[in-house]
Amino acid sequence: MQVKKYSGELVEFDVNRLKGSLSKSGASPDVVDEVWDTMKPMVYDGISTRDLYKLAFRLLKREADSFAARYSLKRALQDLGPAGYFFEQWVAKLFGHVHYQTLTGQLLTGNSVTHEVDVVAQKDDELLLVECKFRNTEDAKITVTTPMYFLSRVNDFQGREFSFFGKPMQFTAGWLVTNAYMTTDSIHFAQYYGLNLLSWDYPADSSIKRRVDNAGLYPITCLTTVTKNEKDTLLKQGCILVKDIIDDESQLDTLHCAPRKKRRILQEAIELVNQQKP
């Protein structure tokens, strides 16, 4: 049996891969088997990955909102668009979690031209230049031209000092961060020229997926108990992470929702962030 990817390419259906993604939602082996048993009669040759995802998401949500929320992480990152501004805010939160001070949307003068820098991150003697590449399609890949372009920006700042946090420093490293995938050429180019890459599945031991699950850094767009308009409202007021509403429940006041719904949102948030991951 084959499934159709977003690009239209047909690939062989791998039930073990599906079960693996279901288990990463936090669902127990018994729940995973139950979900698959329910899905099986509805899965047909040529089904799209989008329809497969929707089916699995719906069945996981029947078991627990937090299972569906964790399963939807990749789509939730795409929902930080369409322009990518909120993705940059979220990336700043990733670096902030490991004790970097961060700034976003900085206009900086290089040796030859002025650049708009997505994120600047500083910790101790490190000053990072962070480029964010947001994609809102399922199978998007970052080709080698992107790290090539980014390298030219890194080089244009060589020898220049900036004082973002009261300490004059030059940039010590460049990071290219994306919610998409990296092509093999992109990875090889970055490794050769000393650029740091962070994508949905790279590096394998510290990818975006791994970092989010390990630290509970889920974007607010993961929540299944909140509508799209409500998510937009939260994002616009600076509520980027699910953790933000756990730390400050008053973030939900602007939604003007009933107390019962507010309790359900908080319950999902707490279960999502705190549940032990497999």
Side-chain angles (χ1 to χ4, degrees):
M1 183 169 64
Q2 294 185 311
V3 296
K4 183 184 291 185
K5 299 176 69 174
Y6 184 88
S7 63
E9 177 188 2
L10 290 171
V11 296
E12 286 299 315
F13 173 67
D14 185 344
V15 66
N16 291 324
R17 183 175 179 180
L18 173 65
K19 286 186 174 183
S21 67
L22 293 173
S23 68
K24 288 175 183 176
S25 73
S28 68
D30 286 344
V31 170
V32 169
D33 287 340
E34 182 180 335
V35 168
W36 169 239
D37 287 343
T38 305
M39 287 179 66
K40 193 172 180 179
M42 295 179 268
V43 175
Y44 55 89
D45 190 32
I47 189 173
S48 69
T49 53
R50 182 184 296 274
D51 287 342
L52 201 60
Y53 162 82
K54 288 179 178 178
L55 183 56
F57 177 87
R58 177 165 55 83
L59 294 173
L60 280 173
K61 187 169 171 59
R62 286 183 186 175
E63 300 293 334
D65 291 331
S66 60
F67 292 168
R70 191 172 293 112
Y71 183 71
S72 71
L73 174 59
K74 197 168 195 302
R75 300 294 175 93
L77 290 174
Q78 293 169 17
D79 288 343
L80 290 173
Y85 168 76
F86 294 121
F87 180 67
E88 293 167 12
Q89 300 290 313
W90 180 78
V91 169
K93 295 275 190 178
L94 281 186
F95 283 93
H97 178 73
V98 287
H99 310 299
Y100 284 88
Q101 298 180 84
T102 62
L103 293 170
T104 58
Q106 299 297 297
L107 201 63
L108 306 179
T109 302
N111 291 309
S112 63
V113 296
T114 299
H115 305 261
E116 185 172 348
V117 175
D118 296 331
V119 182
V120 172
Q122 188 269 331
K123 179 173 69 174
D124 301 329
D125 294 325
E126 293 180 274
L127 184 63
L128 310 183
L129 177 69
V130 184
E131 178 94 354
C132 300
K133 289 300 177 187
F134 172 79
R135 298 291 185 268
N136 58 8
T137 53
E138 185 69 20
D139 299 325
K141 293 184 179 181
I142 301 299
T143 63
V144 70
T145 55
T146 299
M148 283 179 175
Y149 163 75
F150 181 49
L151 178 63
S152 70
R153 301 188 74 186
V154 172
N155 289 339
D156 197 41
F157 285 118
Q158 284 189 356
R160 299 190 71 88
E161 278 195 344
F162 300 92
S163 184
F164 297 105
F165 306 100
K167 182 179 181 180
M169 294 180 67
Q170 296 183 23
F171 285 113
T172 57
W175 280 77
L176 182 60
V177 183
T178 180
N179 62 319
Y181 299 95
M182 293 282 184
T183 64
T184 301
D185 282 350
S186 292
I187 293 170
H188 289 168
F189 182 90
Q191 289 174 337
Y192 185 85
Y193 286 103
L195 297 175
N196 298 282
L197 299 181
L198 178 61
S199 74
W200 171 251
D201 62 346
Y202 182 88
D205 59 347
S206 59
S207 64
I208 281 179
K209 169 64 174 168
R210 286 286 186 97
R211 290 179 185 225
V212 172
D213 281 342
N214 290 340
L217 300 175
Y218 297 96
I220 200 74
T221 44
C222 274
L223 293 178
T224 67
T225 49
V226 182
T227 68
K228 184 183 184 306
N229 286 340
E230 290 170 337
K231 290 173 185 177
D232 290 343
T233 297
L234 291 170
L235 287 170
K236 288 173 183 175
Q237 68 192 33
C239 183
I240 307 297
L241 298 177
V242 172
K243 279 185 173 183
D244 292 339
I245 62 172
I246 297 175
D247 296 338
D248 181 9
E249 295 180 17
S250 67
Q251 293 268 20
L252 297 176
D253 291 346
T254 55
L255 304 185
H256 306 293
C257 55
R260 181 178 178 182
K261 179 172 180 177
K262 184 176 180 179
R263 287 195 299 270
R264 188 178 175 191
I265 294 171
L266 287 171
Q267 179 182 351
E268 180 186 15
I270 292 167
E271 289 178 358
L272 175 59
V273 169
N274 296 334
Q275 183 170 325
Q276 185 66 41
K277 285 79 177 175

